[in-house]
Amino acid sequence: MAVPLLDLKAQYASIKEEILKEISEISDSQYFILGPKVEKLEKEVAAYCASNFAVGVTSGSDALIIALMVEGIGPGDEVIIPPFTFFATAGAVVRVGATPVFADIDPVTYNIDPVKVAEKVTPRTKAIIPVHLFGQPADMDPIMEIAKKHNLVVIEDACQAIGSEYKGRRVGSIGDYGCFSFFPSKNLGCFGDGGMVTCNDPEKAKLLKIFRNHGQSGTYMHEYVGGNFRLDALQAGILSVKLPYLDGWSEARQHNAAEYDELFAAAGLDGKVSLPKKAAYPVRHIYNQYCIEVSGGRRDALVAHLREIGIGCAIYYPLSLHLQKCFADLGGKPGDCPVSEAASGRIMALPIYPESTAEQRRSVVDAIAAFLK
């Protein structure tokens, strides 16, 4: 059975009429940049994320950049990040002229290890960007303690984790900023690029709105050099339609993950496949990805086999960031972040989207078991 890694058409079919009605309304208004639709979504996302404020921006990548810009982080400054994450986490740091400092990850959650964070703090450190990878929150309490001790800014990269919770608190409401992506493949995705920054401080929220519109405090009055980080009204309208469905979609992902766990347990693949692990601290994991580890150096061969027979899968992430060519001048070398490097050689993602069927999941596990056995 062919099984796609993601099927956005299935989701769209279920809400098509609502989406088209919203698009038609915005098209009739001819109000496409910021405006009432964006303001409405900002209030909805702030409430959903239990934050005081939310500011719509062009993408999750730009959400990270604008948070750094508002804090005045730039040349000479260091920002501690995990090496096992999407490139944008590190790219945002470099884009503002600062230096990314890689702290290795926890082997259970794949999120940044607070012990390693503490080891990386120097007088030049200005911020920490913990990533809530694959929809599972990083261990925020010790990270916040480190930040308080050294007067550091905490920018939560929650681009894969909207709606996930750490000890009963929504991600994006814990640090100084929360950054979200609405890329189409996310649990809450728009019809292109879109993002949001959450915060609890009214002054930070004010500055985010100024910086997203070329630093304008008034028409053609520029207090700062910002950027064009404005969210489109069309994307905001689409997201407002989708947001009420988000918890149901996330619960379906949780159900699918639990079913995968049962199928793998029954398949007898102990020693060959390691399943996603829950953090030791209380979390709400929303499974943006369901990633297994394949041992024995067989991950890449398995991925090629599954793709050949029509089963979607992906590798997140094949090369730890500290070893990427574009960061060679930082002096990273093999062995610097051993947990991240090991994960890069073993991890692969399986179809977990809400509309996938039990028959599809069984086909995925059967195919993996047949190959590895």
Side-chain angles (χ1 to χ4, degrees):
M1 170 182 289
V3 184
L5 179 63
L6 178 65
D7 183 4
L8 292 174
K9 292 181 180 179
Q11 183 189 93
Y12 175 59
S14 69
I15 54 173
K16 181 177 179 178
E17 296 308 314
E18 291 179 78
I19 293 287
L20 291 179
K21 181 176 180 294
E22 185 72 12
I23 292 173
S24 178
E25 183 179 309
I26 294 167
S27 298
D28 287 342
S29 76
Q30 290 293 290
Y31 204 137
F32 295 117
I33 305 294
L34 298 178
K37 292 294 183 181
V38 171
E39 292 169 8
K40 176 176 180 288
L41 177 68
E42 289 172 337
K43 291 176 183 176
E44 292 167 344
V45 170
Y48 184 80
C49 294
S51 293
N52 291 337
F53 305 97
V55 177
V57 294
T58 34
S59 68
S61 301
D62 288 340
L64 293 164
I65 290 171
I66 196 174
L68 291 163
M69 290 175 69
V70 165
E71 289 297 325
I73 294 171
D77 298 332
E78 294 177 350
V79 179
I80 299 172
I81 66 171
F84 194 70
T85 178
F86 180 59
F87 181 82
T89 313
V93 176
V94 176
R95 285 281 301 278
V96 299
T99 301
V101 174
F102 298 105
D104 208 359
I105 59 172
D106 172 73
V108 172
T109 65
Y110 309 120
N111 288 318
I112 199 166
D113 184 342
V115 173
K116 300 300 182 183
V117 171
E119 294 173 357
K120 297 291 183 178
V121 176
T122 76
R124 293 182 298 278
T125 306
K126 292 297 186 291
I128 307 167
I129 305 181
V131 179
H132 305 305
L133 199 69
F134 303 147
Q136 178 160 228
D139 194 358
M140 290 301 297
D141 282 351
I143 290 171
M144 296 304 294
E145 289 173 11
I146 294 165
K148 183 178 180 181
K149 179 180 178 181
H150 297 282
N151 193 30
L152 307 177
V153 175
V154 176
I155 301 170
E156 296 178 68
D157 183 338
C159 288
Q160 300 181 9
I162 188 167
S164 64
E165 297 176 0
Y166 171 80
K167 298 183 179 180
R169 291 173 285 170
R170 285 281 164 98
V171 300
S173 69
I174 304 167
D176 296 283
Y177 302 89
C179 297
F180 297 87
S181 168
F182 301 129
F183 188 76
S185 64
K186 298 296 193 286
N187 288 35
L188 180 65
C190 57
F191 283 13
D193 275 315
M196 192 74 69
V197 185
T198 54
C199 66
N200 292 316
D201 185 319
E203 186 60 27
K204 293 183 190 299
K206 178 183 176 182
L207 287 172
L208 286 166
K209 290 184 177 181
I210 290 172
F211 271 79
R212 76 173 171 189
N213 192 21
H214 296 289
Q216 286 191 118
S217 56
T219 305
Y220 303 132
M221 296 291 111
H222 302 265
E223 293 184 52
Y224 308 93
V225 177
N228 180 1
F229 303 131
R230 301 173 302 219
L231 181 62
D232 291 347
L234 275 168
Q235 305 299 354
I238 289 164
L239 290 163
S240 285
V241 170
K242 286 189 168 190
L243 185 57
Y245 295 95
L246 177 57
D247 282 336
W249 292 335
S250 294
E251 287 164 10
R253 287 172 178 267
Q254 292 168 335
H255 171 270
N256 295 348
E259 192 170 280
Y260 267 133
D261 289 348
E262 294 173 3
L263 290 168
F264 275 113
L269 292 173
D270 291 349
K272 295 183 174 68
V273 170
S274 297
L275 305 183
K277 302 176 186 70
K278 277 282 191 77
Y281 43 86
V283 298
R284 182 193 187 214
H285 192 335
I286 51 91
Y287 290 98
N288 178 247
Q289 301 295 342
Y290 181 93
C291 289
I292 62 172
E293 286 192 21
V294 181
S295 58
R298 304 189 69 190
R299 191 270 312 271
D300 292 355
L302 174 58
V303 167
H305 171 70
L306 293 179
R307 289 173 176 169
E308 186 177 345
I309 63 174
I311 292 178
C313 54
I315 296 174
Y316 301 105
Y317 297 95
L319 184 64
S320 190
L321 288 180
H322 70 291
L323 300 177
Q324 294 283 350
K325 183 178 180 181
C326 63
F327 298 135
D329 61 334
L330 299 178
K333 59 186 182 301
D336 286 348
C337 298
V339 183
S340 175
E341 292 165 37
S344 292
R346 295 197 294 254
I347 270 190
M348 60 180 289
L350 304 179
I352 188 71
Y353 61 95
E355 298 81 11
S356 63
T357 66
E359 185 180 8
Q360 287 176 320
R361 289 185 289 280
R362 182 171 292 280
S363 294
V364 171
V365 175
D366 286 348
I368 292 171
F371 181 84
L372 293 179
K373 286 182 177 180

